[in-house]
Amino acid sequence: MNEKLPELPLNRPVRVLFVCLGNICRSPAAEGIFRQIVSENGSESLWEIDSAGIGGWHAGQLPDNRMRVHARRRGYELTHRARQVRESDFDDFDLIIGMDSGNIADLRELARTREDLAKIHSMSEWMQGIATRYDHVPDPYYEGAEGFELVLDLLENACRNLAGQI
Ligand code: 4NP
């Protein structure tokens, strides 16, 4: 985990947007895992949580069936409907967390101001222990079952640390 995590507002809910390429695998899984963790530790009121994709190809769709199956085995029900990232997300969220360097480069292109840029982070900033072998959350779309399990391992690790930050 990074030495220096972003400072979070303490006087109101922290608004966090998870972002990946298609918003049907990694970011809706991050959203579902994070929702469950904050629900279990009773800190739901401290967060507003959403996810979005760099591309809009899958807008309106539920997460990829493979991701839903793997997530359900761990107790996460993924019900997010995909949507594309929009400029107003920079007004509506405090943290905009990309899964890989491509997502982060694309988000930086969308940012309008230095304040917008400062909201963009990498999920890897919250990864600890064995997960620090990875500096991103790899795209599972063209992978087999192991790819989806790896994504869930990395996201559970990072989401626990993010939730623990408040
Ligand atoms: P995600 O995975 O970014 O984790 O949702 C992908 C989903 C769809 C595509 C690529 C990656 N796609 O090319 O349609």
Side-chain angles (χ1 to χ4, degrees):
M1 186 157 75
N2 244 357
E3 292 296 294
K4 196 168 183 308
L5 288 171
E7 281 182 27
L8 303 179
L10 297 173
N11 56 342
R12 58 167 176 78
V14 180
R15 304 164 302 170
V16 55
L17 181 69
F18 297 105
V19 175
C20 62
L21 185 58
N23 194 211
I24 53 167
C25 295
R26 292 166 292 175
S27 63
E31 178 188 339
I33 291 168
F34 194 64
R35 281 188 192 287
Q36 183 137 326
I37 289 172
V38 302
S39 160
E40 282 169 6
N41 71 17
S43 62
E44 280 156 303
S45 62
L46 303 182
W47 301 93
E48 287 175 20
I49 307 159
D50 196 5
S51 66
I54 297 295
W57 318 288
H58 299 283
Q61 294 177 11
L62 283 168
D64 184 286
N65 200 50
R66 297 164 296 171
M67 182 52 89
R68 295 180 72 203
V69 166
H70 284 274
R72 192 177 295 125
R73 284 191 201 139
R74 298 189 190 206
Y76 310 110
E77 204 57 48
L78 304 183
T79 57
H80 175 78
R81 293 281 176 173
R83 72 164 177 91
Q84 190 167 20
V85 174
R86 46 187 178 244
E87 206 174 77
S88 60
D89 285 326
F90 286 97
D91 301 319
D92 296 338
F93 293 93
D94 303 300
L95 290 177
I96 299 182
I97 303 179
M99 298 295 142
D100 62 33
S101 58
N103 306 153
I104 287 164
D106 291 335
L107 286 168
R108 292 179 74 86
E109 289 286 318
L110 278 177
R112 303 154 300 182
T113 62
R114 277 170 41 198
E115 288 72 27
D116 286 359
L117 282 173
K119 294 182 174 188
I120 301 170
H121 293 273
S122 169
M123 197 62 165
S124 61
E125 291 173 45
W126 286 274
M127 285 166 11
Q128 272 188 330
I130 197 164
T132 57
R133 284 193 206 168
Y134 291 84
D135 63 1
H136 66 292
V137 182
D139 185 347
Y141 197 66
Y142 297 105
E143 304 295 329
E146 323 76 51
F148 286 86
E149 289 297 315
L150 172 63
V151 166
L152 291 169
D153 287 342
L154 296 176
L155 294 178
E156 284 180 336
N157 182 300
C159 284
R160 275 194 214 103
N161 297 319
L162 176 59
Q165 220 190 309
I166 292 197

